[in-house]
Structures are given as C-alpha cells and as structure tokens.
C-alpha cells in the first residue's frame, strides 16, 4: 500500500463533478471543484463533501455555515477547470444567482442543492463538511463524469 497505488485505485472510481460555492458573512465568494460530493441521508436529506486542509477556500467554508453544491452538466468542463485553479477571482465571467442565504447558484447545472452546514469533521488531510439540504434547483442535460483523471460525458 502506497499513496501512488491508492491514487491509481481511486482513479478507477468514476464520479460526478460539482462546484461547491459559498459566501462568507463578510461577503467573500469562494468555490472549488469537487468529486467528493456524496449523498449521506434521505430523512433528513444530508450531503457531504471533503475539502483539503491546505485549501485557500477552507476558511471561507468554515465561516459561511452554508454552501451550494452545484452538480455540473456535460459541457461544463471549463467551469470545472476554472474552479480547480489558483486564480484571484474564480467567479470572473461565471453566470450565477444567489440562494436565499446568499451563496452562488451557478447557471446551467444539472442540479444545485442549497445546504446549511451541520458539522465539520476532521478526516486526515481533509475536512468533511456535512450539510442539510434546504432547497433544490433542477436543470437538464447529461452528466459530467471524471474518471481516470479525465472528463467524460455520460
Ligand atoms: C475533477 C476534480 C475534482 C476535485 N475534487 C476535490 C475534492 O473533492 N476536494 C478537494 O479538496 N479538492 C478537490 N479538487 C481540487 C480542488 O478543486 C483544487 O485543489 C482547489 O480548488 C485548489 O484551490 P483551493 O486552494 O482554493 O482549494 C478537485 C479537482 C478536480 C479537477
């Protein structure tokens, strides 16, 4: 068992791609690309995502106490790349509207889930953000899938 072998194994797991967005009480926008979004519970509806401890965005997600999980559609690869790169303003040129809590709901997604943060749990070199789903916006299209370190349209 080595870190490289672990990465090789997990590259074989195909995953949907999401951009998780938030706005801090001070009004700062943050967002990052994630394959770690998972459904946890139906009653009540709970989701979680994992964020690296050394992420530039982690302080914003801790402060915000809420987020939107934007599930990307096939054709939104550029959006995924924009939110995975170190840029001053990841929201430049990005179409979005605000959730009731002020978090960005990106345009053209397959689905966007407005969540309030219930728990933040340590997990190795990541933190788990567990959120209660408060509202849902559905779009249409095919799924964007990340598998073997590449994008695929389902
Ligand atoms: C397809 C894809 C999936 C990713 N999934 C995650 C994830 O689930 N958790 C995470 O912390 N980083 C993930 N990343 C990396 C982050 O998007 C990236 O490291 C981060 O946005 C860097 O900026 P930050 O310091 O603001 O986090 C993923 C990147 C890509 C391209």
């Amino acid at each position: 068992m080595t870190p490289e072998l672990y990465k090789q194994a997990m590259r074989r797991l195909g995953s949907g791609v999401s951009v998780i967005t938030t706005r801090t009480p001070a009004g700062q926008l943050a967002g990052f690309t994630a394959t770690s979004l998972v459904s946890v519970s139906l009653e009540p509806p709970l989701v979680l995502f994992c964020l690296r401890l050394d992420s530039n965005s982690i302080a914003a997600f801790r402060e915000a106490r809420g987020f939107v999980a934007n599930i990307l559609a096939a054709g939104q690869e550029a959006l995924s790349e924009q939110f995975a790169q170190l840029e001053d303003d990841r929201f430049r040129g990005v179409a979005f509207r605000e959730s009731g809590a002020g978090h960005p709901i990106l345009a053209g997604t397959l689905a966007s889930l407005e969540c309030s943060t219930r728990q933040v749990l340590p997990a190795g070199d990541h933190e788990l953000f567990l959120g209660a789903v408060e509202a849902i916006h559905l779009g249409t299209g095919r799924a964007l899938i990340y598998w073997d370190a590449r994008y695929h349209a389902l």
Side-chain angles (χ1 to χ4, degrees):
M1 171 52 202
T2 64
E4 187 48 40
L5 196 56
Y6 177 65
K7 283 192 216 169
Q8 277 184 32
M10 296 313 291
R11 278 201 285 267
R12 285 162 161 76
L13 175 66
S15 310
V17 182
S18 302
V19 171
I20 317 290
T21 55
T22 196
R23 182 191 298 267
T24 66
Q28 181 205 342
L29 293 179
F32 77 104
T33 300
T35 46
S36 57
L37 180 73
V38 290
S39 170
V40 174
S41 161
L42 182 60
E43 288 290 341
L46 299 171
V47 295
L48 73 72
F49 67 85
C50 312
L51 181 55
R52 286 187 358 254
L53 287 175
D54 60 0
S55 160
N56 292 307
S57 311
I58 200 161
F61 279 96
R62 285 175 183 149
E63 285 167 28
R65 306 306 301 163
F67 58 88
V68 175
N70 298 277
I71 300 173
L72 300 190
Q76 293 188 303
E77 293 90 336
L79 201 57
S80 174
E81 285 302 295
Q82 181 160 340
F83 278 91
Q85 271 149 34
L86 283 174
E87 285 187 25
D88 286 348
D89 181 9
R90 285 182 173 162
F91 289 85
R92 190 180 298 133
V94 173
F96 67 87
R97 61 198 167 93
E98 288 184 12
S99 71
H103 308 305
I105 301 172
L106 304 187
T109 64
L110 272 189
S112 292
L113 290 74
E114 295 181 30
C115 302
S116 57
T117 304
R118 285 296 166 86
Q119 285 186 68
V120 183
L121 304 161
D125 55 9
H126 282 58
E127 265 177 16
L128 310 185
F129 287 77
L130 184 72
V133 182
E134 310 285 4
I136 289 176
H137 311 274
L138 290 181
T140 53
R142 289 166 175 255
L144 181 63
I145 300 294
Y146 199 68
W147 175 74
D148 199 22
R150 283 186 212 92
Y151 295 100
H152 303 265
L154 190 65

